[in-house]
């Protein structure tokens, strides 16, 4: 089993105070809050990279649409959300 690792990062006083305040509101330590924030940012980045890769893979397979097709699709979406 791997032991937890630590990261040291310089923070200004205002940022550190906000972290401590938010952590207290959630019933956790500043360190726990920071670890959760890093985990959330990492998960978001992993999801974003997978989304972009899916687009690259699609383009590599020749599954492309024109600018006009994209604009028409977008306009249809906007029109569908307008109140009748």
């Amino acid at each position: 089993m791997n032991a937890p690792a630590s990261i040291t990062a310089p923070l200004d006083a205002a940022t550190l105070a906000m972290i401590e305040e938010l952590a207290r509101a959630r019933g956790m330590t500043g360190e726990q809050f920071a670890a959760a924030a890093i985990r959330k940012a990492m998960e978001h980045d992993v999801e974003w990279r997978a989304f972009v890769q899916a687009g690259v893979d699609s383009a590599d397979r020749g599954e492309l649409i024109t600018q006009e097709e994209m604009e028409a699709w977008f306009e249809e979406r906007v029109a569908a959300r307008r109140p009748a």
Side-chain angles (χ1 to χ4, degrees), residues 7-73:
I7 296 174
T8 302
L11 300 171
D12 60 79
T15 300
L16 184 57
M18 182 60 69
I19 289 170
E20 293 297 336
E21 179 183 330
L22 293 170
R24 266 192 307 279
R26 293 184 178 188
M28 58 177 50
T29 67
E31 289 83 1
Q32 290 168 327
F33 181 88
I38 291 169
R39 204 167 21 260
K40 184 175 181 178
M42 180 265 320
E43 289 167 355
H44 173 76
D45 193 58
V46 167
E47 289 173 5
W48 174 251
R49 288 172 181 246
F51 173 78
V52 170
Q53 188 61 53
V56 169
D57 293 345
S58 178
D60 287 347
R61 290 189 302 271
E63 300 168 355
L64 305 171
I65 62 171
T66 66
Q67 179 70 27
E68 292 77 20
E69 290 171 324
M70 175 54 82
E71 289 174 6
W73 173 85

